[in-house]
Amino acid sequence: MRSHGLSRAHGLVATVSTSFGCTVARADGRVMNRPDIPAPVSGPVSAPGLACLVGRSWPLGASCMTLDGRGGVNFAVYSRHAEAIELCLFDEQGALETARIRLPAHSDGVWHGFLPGLHAGQLYGLRAHGPYQPSRGQRFNPAKLLIDPFARSIVGATEQLSLECDYLGAPVANEGVLAAAPDLHDNATRMPKAQVLDLAAELRAGAAISPRPDVPLANTILYEAHVKGLTKLHPDVPAALRGTYAGVVSAPMLAHYQRLGITTLCLLPVQLFVTEAHLLEKGLRNYWGYNTLGYFIPEPGYASGQFANDRTEFRHMVDQLHQHGLEVVLDVVYNHSAESDTFGPTLSWRGLDNTSWYALDQAGQYLNFSGCGNSLDLAQPCTVQLVMDSLRWWVQAFGVDGFRFDLATSLGRDPLLHHNFHPMSGLLTAIGQDPVLAGIKLIAEPWDVGPNGYQLGKFPARWHEWNDRFRDASRAFWLGHHGTRGQLARRLTGSNDCFHHDGRSPLASVNLLSAHDGMTLADLTSYRHKHNLANGEHNRDGQDQNFSANAGVEGPSDLAAVQSTRGQWQRALLATLFCSQGLPQLLAGDELGQSQQGNNNAYCQDNETSWLAWPGAQPALIEFVAGLIHLRQSHAALRHPHWFTGHANGAATEADIAWRRPDGNAMAGVDWDDPQSRSFAGLIEVADAAEVTPLRWLLVLHAGDEALTFALPPGRWHRVLDSAAGWVLPDAQWDAAPACKRAVIAAPRTVLGLVQHLSASVSPLEAPT
């Protein structure tokens, strides 16, 4: 046994008695000896002379404030079912528990108290008293130090937290229930500690960030990227900044964004996360970050250490992006927490009030709409407040411009509707009406793994949704899978079957060819099958249906014909993406030719598999993508924000869109559904005041393996885009380009873009039928 004196800063006197060499259950229920784990605390730590006042029940978390003329810190913790909540104070290193105080008041489910004399920087944790009855959903265990769900900062290591648990003994075989009593060994030495921040000062720092670019939706180009993977292998980024927030805005990266013309970085999760136990046991780690522990805290693993703290570096990143006209959208994970399933770690919500924070069944088991072991109950007021406070914090304290919500169907699951989705759920309604979020971009991944989880097109106005139908139809059309011209034409024009309702526009559709979850563009055209053995799950993980192709060789090939075909596919897919209505999203690295060696689920590959291989980048492909984006941004016909009608609109002389077969005749109903033909054209005339000379566009899409002649409408046409040849003609060179009059030859696997100055037309176009 040994005794420690307490911090003199608060004039406290107390003693903690511990012993070492104890037995504890792992997260999977198996018992092991851990000499670093202390035995149960012999008794509560007292704090004579420290007066804890009633304080306030709002805001939740720790807040520096002045009450009754005295400065201090107010603590408010939601736990409707706890019998008591203890506040544990720690020294500056987080190693010594200096005081333990029971919060004196319980108001409407919130335990609260005010400690005069405390300041920003104080480290603390929580302990919750109550019944340990897993069959009824309760997991109270005061031996376990818990993290405040509303903590704005955490101090201490988090790498091994997934091995924490609150029970002893192995699980009952095949029953999914806990087998034994709670583990009463204190875990405080292993747990990180929450840190009190001066929230007003943090908000002032956020207000000093450069103003938002507020990129118009019709001009938005999304770029999905991973903070670490983006720069970890970039030879021109300073070594100390590679893989960090500061690296994201290093000079080479800012130049790359501007060269491409993207407007909005969509960053994979940057809220503090931990690696799951099953990955730790394999020597792997969670790379993507979809396992959140701190909803208000920037992930410290992405900090360079070159700034005062992680928050300052994150703000620097946002500020620099804003100064260069770029937005930042964060991928956020509110569907589940890092506490995993029944046998996962007890870190925060589970120990504070399991039945209030999580969606449970009648046996106290977790409903698993996320596929990650648990689902937060997003219909409960406490969870709604957690999400809303967190979103507002990232907007106000860090200046972010929007959010992409992982497995967003979970946001609308309503217990009163048997946990089915409703677009006017409490949380979705709260997000929609919040004034702080009024100008913020909201993007949904419109599905989860629960019942009726696929909800594409069902989100409210103002929301944009990842459109997997665009992804699959584009891949199928170009790469030889079952698909029709009609399916692709619908996706090219905004997916009206999904989004043309309730005042929504084509901009509701987020069009993508690839994303972090799945194959890269290079792998889509190089592999017919997934290759995920490195993930340690015997290639069982990841999607089996990728709508991919390999040009006759699985994986890398030096054959010129194979490489040519793959390049044509890639450029045709990219041209399809950037010539479609909606918000285009490019996966970072697709412009480089990035490969993951066929791995379509690289969530645990924190290595060269996932990090962008800048030394092997393809300059010609980068230039082609940049040309496509510039073409789109310069001409409204390629980013038309309204639904096409098939009729003349505004100042247009002809229908806003008409579809043509290769022979020049109008597409008929039978043509749309013919699975054998992969060639058609769209004739587009959109009045745009920004156009100096009104233009008519012809987009030719030809997925066949042989060259094909397309008849042209009357007039002189200039070819400005040829994906098979890999070029986009700058506007200034259009008039000098050779003119086509009667026909154009489309090479195999190509998208052609042709323009006609309306003054050069020799006769009216035939009306569409």
Side-chain angles (χ1 to χ4, degrees):
M1 296 180 69
R2 53 187 182 176
S3 175
H4 301 282
L6 295 187
S7 168
R8 296 179 181 178
H10 306 300
L12 310 178
V13 178
T15 300
V16 181
S17 300
T18 60
S19 64
F20 295 87
C22 300
T23 300
V24 66
R26 300 194 322 175
D28 61 5
R30 287 175 285 173
V31 176
M32 62 181 178
N33 288 321
R34 289 279 298 271
D36 59 320
I37 298 177
V41 175
S42 59
V45 181
S46 61
L50 185 64
C52 186
L53 309 180
V54 168
R56 296 178 177 175
S57 61
W58 184 88
L60 292 178
S63 307
C64 297
M65 62 177 62
T66 299
L67 290 179
D68 298 329
R70 289 184 285 183
V73 178
N74 190 80
F75 296 89
V77 181
Y78 185 88
S79 181
R80 189 167 74 247
H81 298 102
E83 296 170 355
I85 295 289
E86 288 180 317
L87 171 68
C88 303
L89 305 181
F90 289 83
D91 65 6
E92 294 180 356
Q93 289 72 42
L96 178 64
E97 188 173 346
T98 58
R100 193 181 300 183
I101 306 105
R102 292 201 173 195
L103 295 179
H106 188 218
S107 305
D108 299 320
V110 178
W111 293 87
H112 52 96
F114 176 77
L115 283 175
L118 258 59
H119 306 283
Q122 175 67 54
L123 303 186
Y124 71 99
L126 304 169
R127 298 180 189 271
H129 293 258
Y132 185 86
Q133 298 175 328
S135 63
R136 297 184 180 180
Q138 291 296 10
R139 299 279 291 270
F140 292 107
N141 184 355
K144 303 305 174 184
L145 190 75
L146 305 171
I147 298 169
D148 184 353
F150 287 78
R152 264 59 172 189
S153 176
I154 287 178
V155 174
T158 60
E159 289 80 2
Q160 300 294 314
L161 285 182
S162 289
L163 300 178
E164 291 294 328
C165 59
D166 65 350
Y167 61 91
L168 284 173
V172 176
N174 301 320
E175 293 187 16
V177 296
L178 297 183
D183 170 22
L184 298 181
H185 295 89
D186 193 278
N187 69 342
T189 59
R190 301 187 307 278
M191 289 295 291
K193 313 305 185 293
Q195 183 180 45
V196 177
L197 295 186
D198 183 340
L199 303 187
E202 296 293 319
L203 292 174
R204 288 193 297 272
I209 293 172
S210 297
R212 304 180 192 286
D214 288 329
V215 177
L217 289 172
N219 295 94
T220 297
I221 308 290
L222 305 172
Y223 187 70
E224 190 191 33
H226 187 285
V227 168
K228 183 176 183 178
L230 193 60
T231 63
K232 186 66 177 176
L233 298 179
H234 201 307
D236 297 330
V237 173
L241 303 184
R242 294 173 192 166
T244 70
Y245 299 123
V248 170
V249 291
S250 58
M253 293 310 304
L254 291 171
H256 184 69
Y257 310 143
Q258 294 181 327
R259 179 185 183 188
L260 286 180
I262 60 110
T263 67
T264 307
L265 270 69
C266 295
L267 299 180
L268 267 66
V270 297
Q271 295 173 332
L272 173 65
F273 65 89
V274 297
T275 293
E276 297 88 334
H278 75 277
L279 291 178
L280 293 175
E281 292 173 352
K282 296 175 185 176
L284 300 171
R285 72 182 304 273
N286 188 317
Y287 172 65
W288 289 349
Y290 293 92
N291 201 42
T292 310
L293 176 63
Y295 285 104
F296 299 80
I297 305 168
E299 167 56 41
Y302 301 151
S304 67
Q306 307 292 305
F307 293 77
N309 53 56
D310 305 346
R311 303 183 304 281
T312 300
E313 181 168 349
F314 191 93
R315 291 189 185 100
H316 166 77
M317 177 186 72
V318 176
D319 180 74
Q320 288 298 302
L321 290 172
H322 285 183
Q323 286 190 36
H324 288 81
L326 295 160
E327 299 175 312
V328 58
V329 168
L330 302 187
D331 200 333
V332 288
V333 189
Y334 295 109
N335 54 80
H336 76 283
S337 82
E339 290 186 312
S340 189
D341 60 14
T342 298
F343 308 106
T346 295
L347 306 173
S348 180
W349 307 271
R350 173 175 289 150
L352 285 172
D353 193 349
N354 196 47
T355 61
S356 291
W357 289 102
Y358 290 110
L360 308 175
D361 63 18
Q362 295 298 316
Q365 297 299 299
Y366 296 101
L367 299 177
N368 188 14
F369 308 131
S370 66
C372 298
N374 66 62
S375 296
L376 289 170
D377 189 345
L378 296 172
Q380 291 283 350
C382 59
T383 49
V384 170
Q385 185 170 349
L386 175 72
V387 173
M388 296 305 300
D389 283 7
S390 171
L391 294 175
R392 286 189 289 258
W393 183 250
W394 287 97
V395 169
Q396 295 177 307
F398 294 112
V400 305
D401 304 282
F403 302 96
R404 179 266 188 190
F405 294 83
D406 178 65
L407 301 180
T409 294
S410 295
L411 305 181
R413 288 195 177 273
D414 189 336
L416 298 180
L417 299 175
H418 306 288
H419 291 285
N420 279 307
F421 175 84
H422 194 286
M424 299 303 291
S425 71
L427 178 54
L428 291 177
T429 298
I431 292 172
Q433 63 75 46
D434 192 276
V436 173
L437 306 180
I440 296 302
K441 288 182 169 67
L442 303 173
I443 301 173
E445 183 183 35
W447 49 77
D448 65 15
V449 301
N452 303 311
Y454 188 76
Q455 295 292 330
L456 178 67
K458 303 296 178 59
F459 280 74
R462 276 195 61 214
W463 284 79
H464 314 280
E465 303 178 37
W466 271 26
N467 189 347
D468 63 326
R469 294 185 186 178
F470 178 94
R471 177 198 66 195
D472 294 347
S474 299
R475 294 181 182 184
F477 181 84
W478 290 108
L479 302 181
H481 298 272
H482 178 74
T484 67
R485 291 179 285 188
Q487 291 171 345
L488 184 61
R490 190 182 292 277
R491 304 305 157 214
L492 285 168
T493 53
S495 298
N496 65 344
D497 56 331
C498 301
F499 301 110
H500 196 180
H501 61 84
D502 299 321
R504 304 185 78 184
S505 78
L507 298 173
S509 176
V510 174
N511 300 332
L512 64 161
L513 302 171
S514 53
H516 69 276
D517 189 359
M519 286 185 171
T520 67
L521 180 62
D523 288 352
L524 277 176
T525 56
S526 302
Y527 296 89
R528 288 194 63 86
H529 308 287
K530 65 184 182 182
H531 295 265
N532 297 356
L533 286 174
N535 298 348
E537 299 180 41
H538 307 288
N539 211 38
R540 292 192 297 263
D541 61 307
Q543 288 288 334
D544 293 323
Q545 177 59 275
N546 297 287
F547 298 103
S548 60
N550 64 12
V553 178
E554 186 75 354
S557 173
D558 294 328
L559 296 176
V562 171
Q563 291 183 353
S564 176
T565 297
R566 291 174 176 178
Q568 289 172 346
W569 278 336
Q570 290 173 31
R571 294 188 297 273
L573 283 162
L574 288 164
T576 301
L577 174 67
F578 289 111
C579 293
S580 296
Q581 288 183 277
L583 303 186
Q585 176 172 293
L586 179 69
L587 174 64
D590 277 354
E591 79 276 20
L592 311 179
Q594 174 78 11
S595 172
Q596 293 177 168
Q597 295 79 53
N599 193 323
N600 74 351
N601 189 35
Y603 76 106
C604 56
Q605 298 301 316
D606 188 5
N607 49 50
E608 288 84 354
T609 299
S610 300
W611 304 339
L612 299 195
W614 291 96
Q618 301 176 22
L621 187 58
I622 295 172
E623 287 303 317
F624 181 69
V625 172
L628 287 172
I629 293 175
H630 176 79
L631 193 70
R632 177 187 180 89
Q633 296 289 49
S634 300
H635 301 284
L638 302 183
R639 50 176 171 78
H640 187 45
H642 307 295
W643 296 108
F644 283 118
T645 66
H647 305 288
N649 293 302
T653 60
E654 298 294 332
D656 53 10
I657 194 167
W659 301 99
R660 294 290 185 263
R661 299 186 318 213
D663 62 9
N665 292 316
M667 292 280 291
V670 67
D671 297 320
W672 288 120
D673 297 327
D674 180 4
Q676 302 305 315
S677 180
R678 299 295 176 101
S679 307
F680 68 109
L683 189 62
I684 304 170
E685 183 178 336
V686 175
D688 181 15
E691 299 275 11
V692 176
T693 303
L695 297 174
R696 181 179 290 130
W697 284 78
L698 185 71
L699 289 178
V700 173
L701 298 94
H702 172 50
D705 295 330
E706 302 292 337
L708 184 65
T709 299
F710 274 76
L712 294 175
R716 299 175 69 249
W717 293 87
H718 296 278
R719 186 164 53 175
V720 301
L721 162 64
D722 188 329
S723 70
W727 55 260
V728 180
L729 198 64
D731 293 26
Q733 300 177 23
W734 285 10
D735 290 338
C740 307
K741 288 187 177 181
R742 294 183 177 84
V744 65
I745 297 175
R749 300 170 287 275
T750 189
V751 174
L752 297 178
L754 298 98
V755 296
Q756 179 187 82
H757 298 298
L758 290 184
S759 59
S761 178
V762 298
S763 64
L765 296 181
E766 182 180 87
T769 60

